[in-house]
Amino acid sequence: MSDFHQNGIITDFHNLTRRPVEELEADLVVFSVRRPMSLILPSLFSELEGPALSHIVDEIAQVPYLNEVVIGLDGADREQFGYAREFFARLPQHHRLLWNDGRRLRALDAELDERGLAPQQPGKGRNVWYCGGYVQASGRGTVVALHDCDILTYERGMLARLFYPVAHPHLNYEFCKGYYPRIAEGRLNGRVSRLMVTPLLRALKRMHGALPYLEYLDSYRYALSGEFSMRTEVLDGIRIPADWGLEIGVLSEVHRNYSIKQLCQVDLADTYDHKHQPVSEDDPSGGLNRMSLDIAKALYRKLATQGVIFSAEGFRTLKATYYRLALDLIEAYDHDAVMNGLSLDRHGEERAVELFAANLLEAGNTFLDNPGERPFIPSWNRVKAAIPDLPARLFEAVEQDNVGGR
């Protein structure tokens, strides 16, 4: 496939998929002595009943180097939490479930909310934030990875490749982002990344110049992938959105806190498919409609911290600039699909671009109309400064949910 957006600013490991998984895992077993590894799985209860997660768990059960698996469970009542405990019981590794809707974690959330420290809305970012706090409190890992629970083509080699750069004891990478081709069943997928994020970053560069932050984001082959790994201490100092802006938020924070030389990306798989979100053109609260709004808002907020000044007129210009660039990219993607024997719905692609263009303006209006909004979850460093024993009590609450009474 042609590559329309890689510009080489960060280190790119694109040959790890060529090594047998057994070789990678043998190395990681050795690495785990010095750098024990934890895995975070943010999950909705509905994903336990979906087509992907059972296979993912079976694959993880074969991983020999993991020291801990932490599952963040959203949308589960008491009976469903009991089912989830049985579902994940096949994992031979030490594992714990964060029952985010259980009374113990809800009580801690209410305490944080009283201090103005709690996530302000439900979502993947909130789930990951609490899992990150637990991983730090458990102390079982010095390296942590995260991936989604809806990957239909999952194989355990993906996890090995994701861990490898940050787990290697002689490399100094603090953060690694995964990428892969978004091709499945003969179709070119990944619409939000291809049709929104890439042309949006280029439109912003055209308007505001080649800011280092924009060049950095544009260097990721797949900025919206849900797979990344990092040293555990990275979790202490990052402030992330609670919503679909999580991935952009994480990339922005590690850029702020670390040298480019400490960040990398890795090729995880030759094929990748997961649950596809509907466009939801008539429902701004769901699907790609909601996702594109959240991503645009996260990007605007981070650019504002870089000193970029926004205005209503500027957002209208951004919409027009983005729209033209996105249409040009559709033409290129269409030719790319033809060359590779893939199908591409030109009409559907253009309808998606029209929706994204409208949402760029809507997100801009929201940004301008809410100057006092607290869009990011506080860092765990701040939480520990305000409530020093909160991580220990989070750890104990999770232990009681998993091995004690519910």
Side-chain angles (χ1 to χ4, degrees):
M1 293 293 294
S2 300
D3 184 352
F4 296 115
H5 54 279
Q6 170 66 9
N7 62 22
I9 288 177
I10 61 172
T11 302
D12 185 353
F13 295 108
H14 54 83
N15 291 319
L16 278 178
T17 53
R18 311 300 184 262
R19 290 188 64 189
V21 62
E22 293 79 11
E23 286 186 15
L24 295 172
E25 289 183 337
D27 286 351
L28 287 164
V29 168
V30 176
F31 300 164
S32 68
V33 175
R34 291 180 58 181
R35 292 184 175 171
M37 287 163 255
S38 300
L39 172 63
I40 291 175
L41 299 175
S43 177
L44 294 166
F45 177 78
S46 60
E47 289 176 314
L48 276 67
E49 303 174 314
L53 187 52
S54 184
H55 172 69
I56 290 173
V57 173
D58 288 341
E59 285 287 298
I60 293 172
Q62 301 176 59
V63 173
Y65 53 82
L66 276 178
N67 201 42
E68 174 182 57
V69 180
V70 177
I71 303 105
L73 185 65
D74 277 342
D77 60 23
R78 181 180 296 274
E79 181 179 351
Q80 290 167 330
F81 176 65
Y83 174 84
R85 287 176 64 178
E86 293 297 322
F87 183 91
F88 289 101
R90 74 187 92 161
L91 289 173
Q93 302 93 345
H94 181 276
H95 60 278
R96 291 291 184 263
L97 279 76
L98 271 71
W99 182 19
N100 292 319
D101 298 292
R103 63 178 179 85
R104 292 187 176 95
L105 296 195
R106 283 293 183 186
L108 291 178
D109 187 71
E111 181 179 345
L112 286 168
D113 192 48
E114 289 178 0
R115 301 284 195 97
L117 298 173
Q120 294 302 296
Q121 56 182 298
K124 180 182 176 182
R126 178 187 185 277
N127 193 339
V128 169
W129 187 78
Y130 274 111
C131 288
Y134 175 82
V135 165
Q136 294 174 83
S138 78
R140 297 184 67 90
T142 62
V143 176
V144 59
L146 179 147
H147 65 65
D148 291 331
C149 293
D150 62 351
I151 307 170
L152 296 169
T153 53
Y154 188 84
E155 50 88 18
R156 71 181 196 272
M158 294 175 63
L159 186 60
R161 297 173 196 114
L162 187 62
F163 265 121
Y164 204 92
V166 292
H168 197 297
H170 301 307
L171 303 180
N172 69 338
Y173 296 104
E174 295 282 341
F175 175 86
C176 177
K177 180 78 164 176
Y179 69 87
Y180 31 75
R182 291 305 317 279
I183 302 168
E185 299 179 350
R187 296 193 306 270
L188 189 57
N189 296 318
R191 286 170 293 179
V192 180
S193 182
R194 288 189 298 107
L195 300 178
M196 180 190 167
V197 174
T198 294
L200 174 56
L201 291 174
R202 293 183 178 181
L204 287 164
K205 285 194 284 186
R206 183 168 293 184
M207 291 180 61
H208 300 287
L211 300 176
Y213 171 68
L214 293 174
E215 291 291 324
Y216 159 76
L217 286 182
D218 200 28
S219 72
Y220 285 100
R221 292 180 182 262
Y222 190 24
L224 299 185
S225 72
E227 293 73 34
F228 44 87
S229 61
M230 66 189 82
R231 305 282 180 87
T232 308
E233 64 265 20
V234 174
L235 294 167
D236 277 327
I238 59 175
R239 299 168 61 243
I240 61 175
D243 53 25
W244 286 105
L246 169 66
E247 285 77 18
I248 291 293
V250 169
L251 293 182
S252 301
E253 287 293 279
V254 296
H255 176 257
R256 182 177 66 88
N257 293 343
Y258 297 95
S259 163
I260 293 290
K261 294 180 180 179
Q262 296 173 289
L263 313 177
C264 66
Q265 60 183 337
V266 62
D267 185 2
L268 295 183
D270 292 326
T271 60
Y272 180 99
D273 193 21
H274 68 173
K275 179 183 69 179
H276 299 284
Q277 294 284 346
V279 176
S280 300
E281 292 174 277
D282 299 323
D283 180 13
S285 65
L288 302 189
N289 199 338
R290 166 71 184 278
M291 188 185 300
S292 60
L293 278 167
D294 289 346
I295 290 167
K297 287 188 287 187
L299 189 54
Y300 297 160
R301 291 162 183 154
K302 290 298 183 181
L303 280 167
T305 69
Q306 302 282 319
V308 174
I309 298 173
F310 291 105
S311 65
E313 295 79 8
F315 283 123
R316 287 195 289 270
T317 301
L318 176 62
K319 176 186 174 182
T321 306
Y322 156 82
Y323 188 68
R324 181 64 265 169
L325 290 171
L327 292 180
D328 291 342
L329 275 179
I330 289 176
E331 185 79 11
Y333 289 130
D334 183 51
H335 297 171
D336 199 33
V338 170
M339 290 289 290
N340 287 278
L342 303 172
S343 62
L344 187 78
D345 178 5
R346 284 288 296 265
H347 174 61
E349 298 265 296
E350 293 204 19
R351 287 187 64 180
V353 164
E354 290 166 357
L355 174 67
F356 298 156
N359 281 349
L360 294 184
L361 192 56
E362 176 65 24
N365 291 334
T366 300
F367 173 82
L368 295 175
D369 292 341
N370 296 276
E373 183 183 22
R374 290 191 294 124
F376 303 112
I377 308 172
S379 70
W380 275 102
N381 276 338
R382 181 179 175 188
V383 171
K384 288 185 284 188
I387 314 174
D389 68 340
L390 195 285
R393 288 192 285 127
L394 171 62
F395 177 84
E396 182 58 28
V398 172
E399 288 299 296
Q400 290 183 21
D401 279 342
N402 281 262
V403 299
R406 286 178 279 152

